[in-house]
Amino acid sequence: MLSRIGDIPIKVVYLLGAILATVLAVLLVFVIFPGDVTDQPASEPVVPVQPVPSPSASTASVPPSGGAAATVPEPPEKRAFAKLPGKTSAVSGTIADKASGIGYPRLGKPWSARSFPPFAVAQRVGKVAVPQTVIASAMLPGDAGTKPSTDADYRELAVQAARWTLRTQYPEGATLAWTGSQKTPAGKGWTLGFEVTYTHAGKQQEGRAVVSVLEVGKTKPAMLMASIPATGKAYWADLNTLVTKVRPL
């Protein structure tokens, strides 16, 4: 047997070596880079979300769902978040968004969560539509400029995130009124809550949303966005859960 090894063509030896190296490399990738959303049942289907701009793209180049850039009022420097109506969903774990560097509650059914670009992670209830019931995290879209350092800096970036949410998640003409403004519960950052007034199917309706921006060791902060229109009113109380639990990893 050993005497025959030398008879194997050198091309065959190289081919076998390349196959072995490829298998080892694939195994190594799965060991070093496991999925961020690891506790989701493998049988659950992928949950699509409304397409949104890449976090690396400038907001000026993003085609909004509602046309021209939304104009929003200046937020209060501080306003406590009121308890929203509805029953809070059970918390089934924690979303550890390693791509963005933040963690926040993973909500139980009927919420479902999946990695879905350009969001790092998205949780959603109901159909894909504008507007829709969605919680998503990613790096802050657009250009953050220099790294923020003060509460006022983070509050201004939270305004940018709210404006982006209004443009991409609601129909044209949607407006907002601030319902909360406070520091994030951990680390550097700011959270804004707002009521959205919009027209859908010929009727004026109201939704609720929150955005948080958090320092994660980069020039650009991470963003948590949660938007729940009138059709998801039963889940408005879940926004209170997010506001108190979001934090950097």
Side-chain angles (χ1 to χ4, degrees):
M1 174 68 82
L2 292 177
S3 62
R4 295 182 181 179
I5 294 178
D7 297 332
I8 299 176
I10 191 65
K11 290 184 179 180
V12 175
V13 175
Y14 285 152
L15 178 60
L16 293 174
I19 293 173
L20 179 61
T22 301
V23 172
L24 291 175
V26 171
L27 291 175
L28 188 62
V29 167
F30 279 103
V31 170
I32 298 177
F33 301 108
D36 292 339
V37 188
T38 56
D39 58 337
Q40 186 72 8
S43 60
E44 183 173 337
V46 172
V47 180
V49 296
Q50 175 66 18
V52 297
S54 168
S56 62
S58 168
T59 52
S61 64
V62 172
S65 65
T71 300
V72 301
E74 284 294 319
E77 291 188 4
K78 187 176 183 180
R79 178 178 295 175
F81 285 82
K83 185 176 181 180
L84 292 169
K87 182 180 179 181
T88 56
S89 301
V91 176
S92 62
T94 298
I95 296 289
D97 180 355
K98 297 176 184 177
S100 304
I102 59 174
Y104 51 94
R106 182 194 189 103
L107 303 179
K109 291 185 178 300
W111 291 93
S112 57
R114 281 290 182 184
S115 297
F116 193 90
F119 293 126
V121 183
Q123 300 182 78
R124 195 175 61 77
V125 174
K127 298 179 179 179
V128 176
V130 175
Q132 64 178 328
T133 298
V134 62
I135 301 167
S137 54
M139 299 304 292
L140 180 70
D143 184 8
T146 59
K147 185 176 181 178
S149 59
T150 67
D151 288 344
D153 292 339
Y154 284 100
R155 186 164 54 247
E156 180 57 34
L157 290 178
V159 171
Q160 177 178 315
R163 183 183 296 111
W164 176 86
T165 300
L166 199 64
R167 295 173 63 217
T168 61
Q169 302 300 313
Y170 287 91
E172 182 177 2
T175 60
L176 67 75
W178 303 114
T179 59
S181 178
Q182 64 186 38
K183 294 180 65 174
T184 50
K188 293 181 179 180
W190 204 266
T191 297
L192 291 174
F194 48 101
E195 175 184 288
V196 181
T197 301
Y198 61 98
T199 300
H200 182 62
K203 295 175 59 178
Q204 182 170 293
Q205 302 181 34
E206 292 181 351
R208 296 289 188 277
V210 297
V211 290
S212 295
V213 292
L214 299 94
E215 196 275 330
V216 289
K218 303 176 183 179
T219 299
K220 181 184 291 189
M223 175 189 73
L224 173 67
M225 179 276 292
S227 177
I228 305 181
T231 52
K233 185 176 181 178
Y235 310 107
W236 280 358
D238 289 335
L239 298 178
N240 290 114
T241 301
L242 298 173
V243 164
T244 59
K245 300 296 184 180
V246 61
R247 61 198 64 244
L249 293 178

